[in-house]
Amino acid sequence: MTNQDREESVIVLAQIENTFILINQYREPLHMNITQLPGGGVEEGEKLEDAARREFREEAGFCCGKLHYIGELWPAPWMSNEVTHVFFTNEVSEQLGQRLEAHETIEVSFLPVNDCIERIQKNIYKDAELCYAVLLAQSKELFSL
Amino acid sequence: MTNQDREESVIVLAQIENTFILINQYREPLHMNITQLPGGGVEEGEKLEDAARREFREEAGFCCGKLHYIGELWPAPWMSNEVTHVFFTNEVSEQLGQRLEAHETIEVSFLPVNDCIERIQKNIYKDAELCYAVLLAQSKELFSL
């Protein structure tokens, strides 16, 4: 199966010192603001890593250095062919400010890694992409607690 | 928000001795067989735990004892209001045989816990619900490696 057959998106789990960069945005299907990771759809012909840098820049307002690809996730294979590609970085530099689309309102926050893990364990955070990225990175020991 | 507003499903991560019970089934949107956890939709008026026991019985062919609720997951909040409720059990008894619907073909397997973790870390398993349940249970130290 080639990439063209699937709806592809990217997310970035970024660590700055002892915090993760999270975003909070309104999600219409749930009628509420929820906490997620910066990310979005891959444009036609765009490389995955380029898409990750672009979305991270647009939504979080930062540049990132070396990106580590940690895996692809199938969020809802019973109803969708969407694939989410997950990147991890601990090289974040230059706060440039967000470049949001007109319909987007995204709040950026910095949460200590320990608190993020605790909120996932306590089921305060429920977003599949966020939970997968953080728990996979923890399982692979990409960061230390 | 009440439960009636959302599409709800349940999955069960079940440990027997040193293995997890997994299922393999065809998923039309991806055009392939994939590895997941037993589970399915909650019926109208059905309690979550009852739905978990029923789906586990139907798809895996076993009864389970005490079920631990470990959290709810939002698989795809950008396009769907679906919620997946995740249960863990290490009390599995009485192999009764599956009770599948006419259109279902589900292969049950028993994979050592260590191998399951490794396949998630290596991105061989990509299903969001499976990865979330196993990684969350690992993070909460519900099982030992």
Side-chain angles (χ1 to χ4, degrees), chain A residues 5-93:
Chain A
D5 296 326
R6 301 204 183 166
E7 293 291 326
E8 295 190 292
S9 61
V10 289
I11 55 171
V12 178
L13 175 64
Q15 184 182 4
I16 299 187
E17 294 173 356
N18 198 32
T19 69
F20 286 140
I21 300 181
L22 305 178
I23 62 169
N24 200 274
Q25 66 181 325
Y26 184 77
R27 287 304 193 179
E28 178 59 37
L30 295 176
H31 307 298
M32 60 193 293
N33 280 286
I34 68 172
T35 301
Q36 301 185 287
L37 290 178
V42 179
E43 294 176 356
E44 201 177 325
E46 191 177 30
K47 288 181 184 167
L48 296 180
E49 186 172 319
D50 293 342
R53 288 181 191 284
R54 178 181 53 73
E55 287 287 349
F56 190 70
R57 164 76 179 87
E58 290 172 2
E59 294 197 344
F62 288 88
C63 285
C64 44
K66 187 169 172 55
L67 284 169
H68 304 270
Y69 185 81
I70 61 172
E72 69 174 71
L73 183 70
W74 298 335
W78 61 91
M79 65 170 174
S80 160
N81 67 354
E82 291 196 58
V83 175
T84 303
H85 300 278
V86 183
F87 291 88
F88 174 79
T89 184
N90 54 16
E91 295 180 9
V92 178
S93 60

Side-chain angles (χ1 to χ4, degrees), chain B residues 56-74:
Chain B
F56 189 71
R57 164 75 179 88
E58 289 172 3
E59 294 197 347
F62 288 88
C63 287
C64 43
K66 187 169 173 55
L67 284 168
H68 303 269
Y69 185 81
I70 61 173
E72 69 175 70
L73 183 70
W74 299 335

Side-chain angles (χ1 to χ4, degrees), chain B residues 44 54 79 120 140:
Chain B
E44 201 178 326
R54 178 182 52 73
M79 65 170 175
I120 290 171
K140 289 165 75 85

Side-chain angles (χ1 to χ4, degrees), chain B residues 90-137:
Chain B
N90 55 15
E91 295 180 7
V92 177
S93 59
E94 289 187 65
Q95 184 164 9
L96 304 164
Q98 296 167 308
R99 283 184 191 160
L100 300 178
E101 293 172 49
H103 66 279
E104 289 182 314
T105 304
I106 294 177
E107 186 187 321
V108 179
S109 64
F110 303 85
L111 187 71
V113 168
N114 281 342
D115 292 346
C116 187
I117 299 280
E118 188 179 332
R119 289 183 193 189
I120 290 171
Q121 289 175 342
K122 291 186 172 173
N123 202 219
I124 296 167
Y125 291 158
K126 304 170 183 183
D127 175 69
E129 294 175 337
L130 168 62
C131 294
Y132 172 74
V134 172
L135 291 171
L136 180 62

Side-chain angles (χ1 to χ4, degrees), chain A residues 72-145:
Chain A
E72 69 174 71
L73 183 70
W74 298 335
W78 61 91
M79 65 170 174
S80 160
N81 67 354
E82 291 196 58
V83 175
T84 303
H85 300 278
V86 183
F87 291 88
F88 174 79
T89 184
N90 54 16
E91 295 180 9
V92 178
S93 60
E94 290 187 66
Q95 184 164 11
L96 305 163
Q98 295 168 310
R99 282 183 189 160
L100 300 177
E101 294 172 50
H103 66 279
E104 289 181 315
T105 304
I106 293 178
E107 185 188 321
V108 178
S109 64
F110 303 85
L111 186 72
V113 169
N114 280 343
D115 292 347
C116 187
I117 299 279
E118 188 180 331
R119 289 182 193 189
I120 290 170
Q121 289 175 344
K122 290 184 172 174
N123 201 220
I124 295 166
Y125 291 158
K126 303 170 184 183
D127 175 69
E129 294 176 336
L130 168 62
C131 293
Y132 173 74
V134 172
L135 291 172
L136 181 61
Q138 182 187 30
S139 183
K140 288 166 74 87
E141 298 181 351
L142 296 184
F143 59 83
S144 54
L145 287 180

